[in-house]
Amino acid sequence: MSTRITRIALAASGLLLCTQLMAEPKRPECLAPAKPGGGFDITCKLAQGGLHDTGLLKAPMRVTYMPGGIGAVAYNAIVAQRPGEPGTLTAWSSGSLLNLAQGKFGRYDEKAVRWLAAIGTDYGAITVREDSPLKDFDDLIDALRKDPTGTVIGAGGTVGSQDWMQAALVARAAGVDPKTLRYVAFEGGGEPMTALLGGHVQVITSGIGEATAQLEAGKVRVLAVLSDERLPGKLGELPTAREQGFDVTWPIARGFYLGPEVSDEDYAWWKQQFDALLADDTFAKMREQRDLLPLALTGEDLQAYVYKQVEQYKSLASEFGLVQQQ
């Protein structure tokens, strides 16, 4: 009996120690690896508001912007300089995984960080100004076929980025070599929209969530959403490329990772919060308001998803003749 009591006491003390170790970080921070206004910004602010409004995070979470290399600067900073910070989340998207597949994050691969959570999915969108002569996706395809250099396409990323990949898929649908496009690269999702509204580019590729504010303001028109079928809710009025006869799709998962040396206890604490967040109806409404669709993956399930996606993106990059750095 005394042995059993001792075991129970040890188990209880172990549970208490675990609870103490799994404490809320004192200065939570979300790194958005781009300038304000794009998808990474949306992702961080969704977590910032969601964790606070549901009571899962008591301390205010600050959002810090770290542009450079469409995620490369932030990825390298977390791995090499801030690997063990328990309170620092970094936003990622499918574009991050595409860049990892091409070796664009330097010597670090997809196994260099601890993948924490995917909280929603966006879809690619092809957007023009409201007064554009391009009235639908067919018009854009025809324009590219007649003169691939006659339409200036802007996007938040260099050649090989996910926004470039959307443009490349559109070019392929038109039977045009993607390398002949007039493509202007910007840092992050906010700058291309500014350039479009200013008349400096004629078309932009982005996530639909980055276009909805100007769409609601009546300043832009979406020629096509790159989803399998029409999106639900207010975005259901927007046509897909597929329904217009072109099999072009591009889903954009969004979420967070932690540094490679964050302890198992701190990682488990964050996973627990995101598991609760993703099951919360209040958060579901917040995600919908940000024009994101549900995607709930954490821990090992997310890691398996990430590794599989990177392998698929390696094949896609090879298709388009993008050189992978070794």
Side-chain angles (χ1 to χ4, degrees), residues 117-149:
I119 63 168
T121 185
D122 198 357
Y123 284 92
I126 312 300
T127 305
V128 297
R129 274 182 20 166
E130 179 57 36
D131 59 359
S132 170
L134 302 173
K135 301 302 181 186
D136 55 31
F137 198 63
D138 271 316
D139 286 347
L140 175 60
I141 294 293
D142 289 342
L144 293 177
R145 284 171 175 166
K146 290 175 183 175
D147 181 8
T149 66

Side-chain angles (χ1 to χ4, degrees), residues 33-104:
K35 295 179 180 179
F40 290 134
D41 192 9
I42 290 172
T43 307
C44 276
K45 286 180 177 173
L46 184 56
Q48 180 188 51
L51 290 166
H52 177 269
D53 290 358
T54 56
L56 292 167
L57 189 63
K58 296 180 178 63
M61 173 183 280
R62 70 184 189 277
V63 177
T64 304
Y65 301 96
M66 189 178 285
I70 314 301
V73 171
Y75 199 85
N76 278 263
I78 289 298
V79 176
Q81 301 166 22
R82 305 167 62 177
E85 293 184 2
T88 302
L89 308 179
T90 305
W92 64 269
S93 72
S94 294
S96 311
L97 308 187
L98 178 62
N99 283 342
L100 281 166
Q102 298 171 72
K104 289 189 171 183

